Amino acid sequence: MGTPFSQNKHLISRAGFGISILQIEDIKNKKSKTMVADLFKEYPFTEITYNTPDFIPIEYTDPKATADQKREAQKITQKQNVELNLNFLTQMTKSEDQLREKMAFFWHGHFATRVNNPKFNRQLLNVIRKNALGNFKELLFEVSKSPAMLQFLNNQQNKKDHPNENFAREVMELFTMGRGNYTENDIKELARAFTGWGYDKEGNFTERPKQHDTGAKTFLGKTGNFTGDDVLNIILEQKATAKFITAKIYKFFVNENPDQNNINKLSEELYTSNYDLKKLMQNIFSSSWFYDQKNVGNRIKSPTELIAGIIRILPMEIKNPENITVYQKLLGQMLLFPPNVAGWPSGKSWIDSSTLMLRLQIPQIWSGLRPMEYSAKEDDDIDMGMKSREALIKAFKNPNITIDWLAVEKTFKNKKPEDYLIQNTELINMKTVSQFSDQSLKMNIINLMSTPEYQLM
């Protein structure tokens, strides 16, 4: 299990976005049980929003819109989505409620949507943050009725005479049960139950009775005149749902190679608790196996975890924060814009020759020791269609960061930085790290954060 210090370091890296410079003394001196209890403290919930007014001058689809009006609408839309992105990242880096934001980050990839409407993005983002540690049933119902999800998976077009199966298929395959636990006919019947679900011009969920199929439906072995609410409840009655959700959470927070015995026990507890997510996470972080050596330092940080972790450990002023989204794009994980409904990949998929080199050099670039020398690939979906390639390349620059190295040096005085920056210090060769250093604490830290070992959590 390791020492209390190593346990605390592992817990913070998995249950949050890495050690804050303000937590250095805590992880060294606090008992592990206290650290776990601290994770579940209740803090006031604050919604994330964008900074500009909640107003888009004209819809892109308005046939009367002029070219100038469309450009202005697109400009405002892009600005608001960037602000949402950065405000979400700010919560990850600065909020004391680290577990809520880490769970929200998990759900952001689980309930993946990609829509341009910033109001819809804001609504869904706050739904997953509000319910991140609550009840999975409530989370599933609210997400399923969000305009972002209904638009992304085409349920606005799901009508009784022309059922659309996109939403129904993904609800079972990706959001609840997983493949192999339903039939193609179940998808068709589920789609019929969701007919009429949509949203109005203000982005409010609405059921359209004239578009709903009121006929009898047979779904997962049950027959009735089911509504959308009915079929979601039937899905939650399946133990396969509890097992699928538990396994996905386990792979994200513990190990990508799951232990089936642990998952079977946890999923049974999740099911009998009526999908209490807080209880599930308490069970995980309080288990001795969570701290086993095989579960420590075995995960490659996602780009978001890497960026947030650097910002948390190095106190900094970011004068052009919008340029942080450039790094998100280059590393393959731009918040609010997952590649598809399955969300982002994980593990070794984060690493290729281009992204690894940039990941290793970010600490040096942000410290002003080297310039940004990267450009987007020719075949990239540039900024999810929000910028031209030329505009994105122009933005490839330092986000104008000033790091408070005096505070860093004060905090790490008489400490070994590698103990706090590297999950498994047995992997690191400190002679290699300091070989090209001037032996200053600043350079030692930058060199440590520029190693492959820093990429692991």
Side-chain angles (χ1 to χ4, degrees):
M1 284 179 60
T3 64
F5 173 75
S6 65
Q7 289 183 40
N8 289 345
K9 185 168 68 168
H10 177 58
L11 177 68
I12 288 176
S13 75
R14 295 300 179 85
F17 291 92
I19 301 170
S20 163
I21 194 168
L22 302 176
Q23 292 178 299
I24 296 296
E25 296 302 323
D26 281 352
I27 69 165
K28 182 180 179 182
N29 299 316
K30 278 191 176 182
K31 294 181 179 179
S32 296
K33 286 185 178 180
T34 304
M35 294 293 290
V36 172
D38 286 348
L39 286 175
F40 295 92
K41 284 182 180 178
E42 293 193 10
Y43 296 89
F45 176 70
T46 303
E47 288 199 349
I48 290 175
T49 188
Y50 28 78
N51 310 326
T52 50
D54 188 9
F55 172 70
I56 296 178
I58 198 162
E59 293 288 343
Y60 304 147
T61 54
D62 189 335
K64 298 179 181 179
T66 66
D68 286 343
Q69 287 174 319
K70 290 181 179 180
R71 278 193 293 269
E72 179 64 19
Q74 187 173 20
K75 184 178 178 181
I76 293 176
T77 295
Q78 180 182 329
K79 181 176 175 60
Q80 290 177 332
N81 280 325
V82 167
E83 288 170 348
L84 274 180
N85 175 308
L86 294 173
N87 289 342
F88 189 19
L89 183 63
T90 296
Q91 288 298 315
M92 296 176 188
T93 57
K94 294 186 176 180
S95 174
E96 292 183 280
D97 207 351
Q98 280 284 287
L99 182 55
R100 177 197 293 278
E101 302 305 335
K102 189 63 172 283
M103 284 294 291
F105 176 57
F106 166 79
W107 293 123
H108 183 48
H110 180 79
F111 291 114
T113 64
R114 194 170 106 179
V115 299
N116 275 329
N117 189 314
K119 182 176 180 179
F120 292 1
N121 283 329
R122 182 191 66 190
Q123 289 173 331
L124 180 57
L125 187 56
N126 287 311
V127 162
I128 63 175
R129 290 181 61 249
K130 181 184 68 175
N131 295 286
L133 280 167
N135 183 278
F136 179 71
K137 175 180 177 179
E138 294 177 12
L139 175 61
L140 175 63
F141 270 71
E142 287 200 44
V143 168
S144 298
K145 294 179 179 181
S146 69
M149 184 63 74
L150 293 169
Q151 182 188 83
F152 185 53
L153 293 181
N154 310 114
N155 211 77
Q156 186 81 337
Q157 290 78 45
N158 188 12
K159 302 174 183 179
K160 62 181 179 181
D161 295 328
H162 302 282
N164 185 303
E165 297 176 4
N166 285 4
F167 178 57
R169 183 179 299 276
E170 307 306 355
V171 162
M172 288 197 289
E173 179 179 332
L174 297 175
F175 302 158
T176 58
M177 299 175 68
R179 291 181 180 178
N181 294 300
Y182 54 88
T183 66
E184 283 296 312
N185 192 64
D186 286 325
I187 294 173
K188 295 180 185 299
E189 298 293 86
L190 185 60
R192 292 177 59 210
F194 285 133
T195 52
W197 273 27
Y199 53 89
D200 60 23
K201 291 181 180 180
E202 300 301 318
N204 300 308
F205 172 75
T206 181
E207 294 184 80
R208 299 161 292 178
K210 292 182 180 180
Q211 304 297 341
H212 178 64
D213 184 337
T214 58
K217 308 162 188 78
T218 300
F219 176 64
L220 295 177
K222 292 191 173 186
T223 301
N225 181 14
F226 297 138
T227 65
D229 285 355
D230 294 330
V231 289
L232 287 180
N233 280 320
I234 292 172
I235 287 172
L236 290 164
E237 290 171 4
Q238 313 303 310
K239 287 194 173 182
T241 298
K243 192 167 185 178
F244 180 80
I245 296 301
T246 301
K248 193 162 182 182
I249 287 175
Y250 189 97
K251 290 176 184 178
F252 184 87
F253 284 93
V254 184
N255 197 312
E256 290 189 340
N257 298 311
D259 183 308
Q260 288 302 324
N261 289 330
N262 290 340
I263 287 175
N264 290 340
K265 182 180 179 182
L266 289 168
S267 65
E268 189 65 33
E269 291 170 342
L270 179 65
Y271 187 81
T272 56
S273 73
N274 194 29
Y275 293 93
D276 186 332
L277 295 169
K278 180 178 179 180
K279 186 175 181 180
L280 172 64
M281 302 314 294
Q282 286 173 326
N283 288 340
I284 290 174
F285 297 138
S286 300
S287 297
S288 59
W289 47 254
F290 176 74
Y291 303 94
D292 285 350
Q293 193 61 39
K294 67 179 181 180
N295 296 325
V296 176
N298 69 340
R299 274 196 60 219
I300 296 173
K301 296 174 184 177
S302 69
T304 298
E305 289 166 329
L306 178 67
I307 290 170
I310 293 172
I311 295 172
R312 280 178 61 75
I313 196 66
L314 298 180
M316 61 180 68
E317 179 186 2
I318 306 174
K319 295 177 183 176
N320 297 317
E322 65 278 1
N323 285 327
I324 295 294
T325 62
V326 175
Y327 289 83
Q328 293 179 25
K329 171 59 184 172
L330 286 171
L331 295 177
Q333 188 172 47
M334 190 165 180
L335 297 173
L336 302 183
F337 290 94
N340 52 55
V341 68
W344 289 279
S346 60
K348 293 180 180 178
S349 60
W350 289 126
I351 303 295
D352 61 29
S353 58
S354 174
T355 57
L356 178 59
M357 192 60 63
L358 177 57
R359 290 169 73 111
L360 296 177
Q361 292 183 0
I362 284 178
Q364 301 164 48
I365 296 169
W366 288 7
S367 299
L369 299 181
R370 67 183 306 144
M372 164 66 93
E373 298 172 333
Y374 295 84
S375 61
K377 299 174 184 177
E378 287 287 352
D379 59 350
D380 269 0
D381 177 13
I382 299 297
D383 218 14
M384 307 306 176
M386 290 160 59
K387 283 185 179 180
S388 68
R389 184 173 187 275
E390 292 73 20
L392 191 60
I393 290 174
K394 188 178 179 180
F396 288 176
K397 58 185 179 182
N398 194 304
N400 200 357
I401 289 173
T402 302
I403 297 173
D404 187 350
W405 286 110
L406 287 177
V408 175
E409 291 178 1
K410 182 179 179 180
T411 301
F412 281 99
K413 186 178 181 181
N414 300 322
K415 295 181 177 67
K416 294 181 179 179
E418 61 269 25
D419 290 342
Y420 298 86
L421 297 174
I422 307 298
Q423 275 303 320
N424 188 347
T425 53
E426 294 179 5
L427 299 176
I428 196 87
N429 185 332
M430 285 306 297
K431 289 184 179 179
T432 302
V433 170
S434 59
Q435 184 177 0
F436 304 105
S437 170
D438 60 7
Q439 302 303 313
S440 70
L441 183 59
K442 171 182 174 179
M443 286 308 303
N444 194 21
I445 288 173
I446 291 172
N447 287 345
L448 280 166
M449 297 175 77
S450 303
T451 61
E453 290 77 12
Y454 183 73
Q455 307 297 314
L456 300 174
M457 60 181 287

